Amino acid sequence: MLGVSPREMDSDDKKMMTLSQAFLIDYFLYTLIAKKVSSAIQPIFYYYYKHDERFAIVRFIVSYFTAAKEILPEWDNPKESMISKSVGVGALIKVLNYVFIKIFIEYNGGFNSQVQQVD
């Protein structure tokens, strides 16, 4: 959702719009900002952003949420599931920091080789 939903929109459709663009930006900023280096949640994508590998970041995020959708079938039902609302997506983004590190360690090729394998 970008901004506010139109007034004329059906209430059922409004219930499906559970995430805002601002929410996603706020949460993903922590994966890019170098100031957070001393934090428990590290800026896992900072190196790739700094080295102009932004498309690889997008591919990794798309692969991550595609896998979440396959594992969590309730993903497509925001009326009944918390996982597709802000609190659930926020949790998935925070867990992403730990999943990313695990993938990076297990696949010695690092970030880019794993993204290519997932696609």
Side-chain angles (χ1 to χ4, degrees):
M1 175 174 57
L2 177 60
V4 295
S5 57
R7 291 182 187 193
E8 65 275 357
M9 183 178 278
D10 183 84
S11 65
D12 286 336
D13 289 339
K14 284 184 183 181
K15 289 178 184 175
M16 297 297 284
M17 299 176 71
T18 59
L19 301 174
S20 70
Q21 183 180 29
F23 165 81
L24 290 173
I25 289 169
D26 286 347
Y27 268 73
F28 278 117
L29 269 178
Y30 289 104
T31 66
L32 298 172
I33 298 175
K35 293 180 196 175
K36 298 291 181 184
V37 171
S38 63
S39 171
I41 298 176
Q42 293 295 302
I44 56 174
F45 296 138
Y46 175 73
Y47 171 85
Y48 304 98
Y49 180 77
K50 184 178 174 185
H51 290 90
D52 204 26
E53 295 183 31
R54 294 175 187 110
F55 185 69
I57 295 169
V58 171
R59 286 191 347 211
F60 185 89
I61 291 169
V62 168
S63 296
Y64 177 71
F65 281 105
T66 299
K69 182 179 177 180
E70 289 175 13
I71 294 168
L72 306 163
E74 63 272 17
W75 176 268
D76 286 333
N77 193 355
K79 293 178 191 176
E80 297 180 18
S81 173
M82 293 292 284
I83 199 70
S84 57
K85 294 182 180 178
S86 295
V87 76
V89 174
L92 287 172
I93 293 170
K94 286 187 178 185
V95 168
L96 173 64
N97 284 277
Y98 303 106
V99 171
F100 175 85
I101 293 167
K102 182 173 175 38
I103 291 170
F104 192 88
I105 291 169
E106 286 184 4
Y107 298 90
N108 270 336
F111 179 69
N112 285 325
S113 66
Q114 177 56 22
V115 169
Q116 291 169 1
Q117 290 178 17
V118 170
D119 290 354

